[in-house]
Amino acid sequence: MNHHYTVLDILLVLARYALALAVTIHVLRTKRDTAASTGWIGIAWLMPLTGAALYVMFGVNRVRRLARKLIGSHQWDGRGALVQHREQVDGQFAPLARMLGRLTERPLLGGNVIQCLHDGDNTYPVMLAAIDNARQSVLLCSYIFRADEVGNRFIEALANAQARGVRVHVLVDGIGSGYFHSGVASALRRRNIACHRFMHSLWPWRMPFINLRNHRKILVVDGRVGFMGGLNIGEENMLRLRTKVPVADTHFRIEGPIVHQLTEAFARDWSFTCQEELDGEIYFPQLDSVGDIPMRIVTSGPDNDLEKIEFAMLQGVALARRSVRLMTPYFLPDERLTSELCLAALRGVEIDIIVPGSSNHRLIDYARDANLAPFLDAGCRIWMAQPPFNHAKLLVVDEDWSFVGSSNIDVRSLRLNFEINMEVYDKDLARELIAFIDRHRHGRLTHHTLDSQSGMVKLRNAGVRLFMPYL
């Protein structure tokens, strides 16, 4: 049988091999995860054209490259003024404090106060009052910012602040606050308020960014008062409104030198999004001590901050001697965090994990249920909180160290999302959070609960679990 190959045929074959080889070289040079590396290389050689296209879209971390370029050339004011507030921790958590200092390149800062706020009913009035009292600047970042009754109150407060001469900057996520249309972004721009959508694009060649989301919640007023935590802006967070799916949450009001680090986190995101620097006294004023609590901001994302929040959790759990209390809306930890929690339980640490009996994402509940048996085997106690769905993200170790913020315990939050957490060395806050967490220890999950599930339910849950990184 005769085969006649044209020059075009030969060129196509060479192109296929060249693409597969190019993907292989790039994977070997840039990827650390061996399973992901093997998968990408296999797809590239089995389907060179399709595999190369998929890798260019979803496998290349352009975010880290852009972050290095931007952050390397930008400086933010006020760093030197905070030297006097640096703190050191002695005793059990000294290794954690040293590790996070090196990892984040942010000092542990003393002289702070913190107030714990629950739900939009109690938190929104405090946030709105802070905006109403702004005199120089307002920085607001929210994953979800709805243009509903609650969102409109914030829009009006921001517009009024700008009318007083306050500089207002708003950053919303390109997915969470509306992908095809963002009502809040349109409303703010109609009022000439600077508002940008984080990594948003409808162009096909930028579609990979659809999987990278800014999940941070930040409000800084005049560079002196800050808010952070898990609370988005929307009617569902107002429990008194009795919406269809009400969402309880926890947020924190902070004052003191730590606000500088919160401002810097926003400034980096703002620069990353629109290449505009926020510098000067109106954003980074001289901050004096107002209390005695040591704190530090820890950010993570698929850029230079990759996995830093997870590393903080791993080290905190590793140092636990008596107890770990963890409350999260979505519990899909990777193998590292699973192993650390289970090892802590096996050495006698009391591990209490509080998750919603039913969250607002059913698929995540399915995957979670398929992932719980190892924790029960190790002796962890898992509790199913009753409605309303609680969106709080809280970790307390040994009634001494608290770790709070926007990050869920799942692969998306710990690897893909841009998140912000805060470590706090304060026994009073730890006790307050422990009391709150313990009030949500309702139905305890047992082996019997999992064993009583039907074979089809177990199969469904195990199947959904395969998609953990994308849930």
Side-chain angles (χ1 to χ4, degrees):
M1 186 174 181
N2 295 325
H3 296 278
H4 300 284
Y5 296 101
T6 66
V7 173
L8 180 60
D9 292 331
I10 296 173
L11 290 176
L12 286 174
V13 170
L14 291 176
R16 288 164 64 90
Y17 280 111
L19 286 173
L21 183 61
V23 170
T24 300
I25 293 173
H26 193 274
V27 168
L28 292 175
R29 292 184 60 188
T30 61
K31 299 294 181 187
R32 291 186 301 167
D33 189 298
T34 55
S37 299
T38 303
W40 280 120
I41 291 173
I43 291 174
W45 285 99
L46 288 172
M47 301 181 297
L49 298 178
T50 304
L54 290 174
Y55 182 71
V56 169
M57 290 182 65
F58 296 101
V60 179
N61 192 341
R62 302 175 184 84
V63 177
R64 179 179 290 185
R65 188 165 63 234
L66 177 60
R68 286 174 178 167
K69 177 181 178 181
L70 291 175
I71 294 174
S73 61
H74 290 173
Q75 298 293 328
W76 284 270
D77 290 344
R79 294 190 182 197
L82 297 178
V83 173
Q84 60 183 313
H85 300 293
R86 291 175 183 261
E87 285 275 345
Q88 289 187 337
V89 173
D90 298 321
Q92 175 185 353
F93 292 102
L96 174 62
R98 286 196 300 270
M99 182 276 288
L100 282 176
R102 294 173 181 175
L103 184 69
T104 65
E105 298 182 340
R106 294 187 180 102
L108 183 67
L109 297 176
N112 307 291
V113 294
I114 185 169
Q115 179 185 6
C116 183
L117 301 166
H118 297 292
D119 310 325
D121 307 69
N122 301 306
T123 308
Y124 290 151
V126 182
M127 295 173 68
L128 289 167
I131 296 172
D132 289 340
N133 291 324
R135 294 294 175 265
Q136 292 185 305
S137 64
V138 174
L139 311 177
L140 176 60
C141 173
S142 187
Y143 174 64
I144 295 175
F145 190 160
R146 302 194 191 282
D148 55 16
E149 177 186 339
V150 169
N152 287 334
R153 294 181 200 169
F154 278 86
I155 292 170
E156 291 304 318
L158 294 169
N160 291 337
Q162 181 158 287
R164 298 194 304 270
V166 175
R167 294 191 186 181
V168 179
H169 304 270
V170 180
L171 186 63
V172 297
D173 184 69
I175 302 294
S177 294
Y179 180 63
F180 292 104
H181 173 72
S182 175
V184 69
S186 299
L188 290 169
R189 289 167 182 166
R190 284 197 297 270
R191 291 165 171 78
N192 295 318
I193 295 174
C195 176
H196 289 277
R197 301 167 72 182
F198 186 84
M199 295 184 72
H200 179 266
S201 176
L202 293 174
W203 299 110
W205 53 86
R206 300 201 62 185
M207 283 295 284
F209 292 158
I210 197 172
N211 206 36
L212 305 176
R213 306 171 187 177
N214 191 324
H215 198 239
R216 296 167 182 166
K217 294 89 178 175
I218 299 171
L219 172 62
V220 181
V221 176
D222 292 340
R224 298 181 180 279
V225 178
F227 295 82
M228 61 86 65
L231 189 68
N232 291 297
I233 298 175
E235 291 179 355
E236 64 271 20
N237 297 107
M238 296 284 289
L239 300 186
R240 66 175 178 79
L241 295 180
R242 300 182 182 275
T243 57
K244 184 177 180 180
V245 183
V247 179
D249 215 324
T250 301
H251 222 55
F252 298 89
R253 181 186 186 276
I254 55 177
E255 286 188 78
I258 190 63
V259 177
H260 175 276
Q261 292 185 356
L262 193 64
T263 305
E264 183 178 336
F266 180 94
R268 289 180 183 272
D269 284 349
W270 186 261
S271 173
F272 185 95
T273 304
C274 60
Q275 291 77 56
E276 177 189 359
E277 295 185 47
L278 302 181
D279 286 327
E281 187 73 14
I282 67 169
Y283 305 111
F284 296 95
Q286 178 70 36
L287 297 174
D288 299 321
S289 294
V290 294
D292 58 0
I293 301 176
M295 302 180 190
R296 175 168 26 221
I297 292 295
V298 182
T299 52
S300 70
D303 54 359
N304 291 345
D305 288 337
L306 185 66
E307 299 176 327
K308 291 181 180 179
I309 285 179
E310 183 178 12
F311 288 159
M313 293 179 178
L314 289 168
Q315 184 75 348
V317 174
L319 293 173
R321 296 175 181 172
R322 299 181 301 277
S323 66
V324 172
R325 284 177 172 83
L326 191 159
M327 186 171 185
T328 179
Y330 315 116
F331 186 63
L332 290 171
D334 63 8
E335 291 297 328
R336 293 184 302 193
L337 191 51
T338 297
S339 298
E340 201 63 67
L341 287 166
C342 291
L343 288 171
L346 289 170
R347 68 173 184 266
V349 178
E350 291 185 353
I351 308 291
D352 286 288
I353 301 168
I354 293 84
V355 296
S358 178
S359 77
N360 59 344
H361 291 290
R362 186 172 297 179
L363 291 179
I364 293 180
D365 292 344
Y366 295 161
R368 176 199 68 195
D369 290 350
N371 209 41
L372 294 179
F375 298 96
L376 297 177
D377 293 340
C380 300
R381 296 183 297 199
I382 300 176
W383 307 86
M384 297 291 180
Q386 296 174 355
F389 165 59
N390 202 298
H391 193 246
K393 309 97 165 35
L394 310 170
L395 173 63
V396 184
V397 178
D398 285 355
E399 302 181 6
D400 284 309
W401 182 74
S402 303
F403 198 51
V404 301
S406 69
S407 181
N408 303 310
I409 310 296
D410 57 24
V411 177
R412 169 171 291 284
S413 275
L414 299 177
R415 301 285 178 84
L416 295 177
N417 285 349
F418 292 79
E419 305 279 1
I420 184 165
N421 275 29
M422 181 171 61
E423 62 161 348
V424 184
Y425 296 82
D426 182 61
K427 290 183 180 294
D428 290 336
L429 177 68
R431 294 191 189 105
E432 181 180 354
L433 294 179
I434 287 171
F436 174 80
I437 292 171
D438 287 351
R439 288 198 298 272
H440 291 80
R441 296 195 309 180
H442 298 138
R444 183 173 175 180
L445 186 76
T446 65
H447 281 98
H448 175 72
T449 309
L450 296 180
D451 292 341
S452 63
Q453 294 176 338
S454 69
M456 289 301 297
V457 168
K458 292 179 181 178
L459 185 63
R460 176 201 65 192
N461 294 350
V464 175
R465 181 177 177 270
L466 297 177
F467 297 91
M468 279 175 52
Y470 305 99
L471 295 177

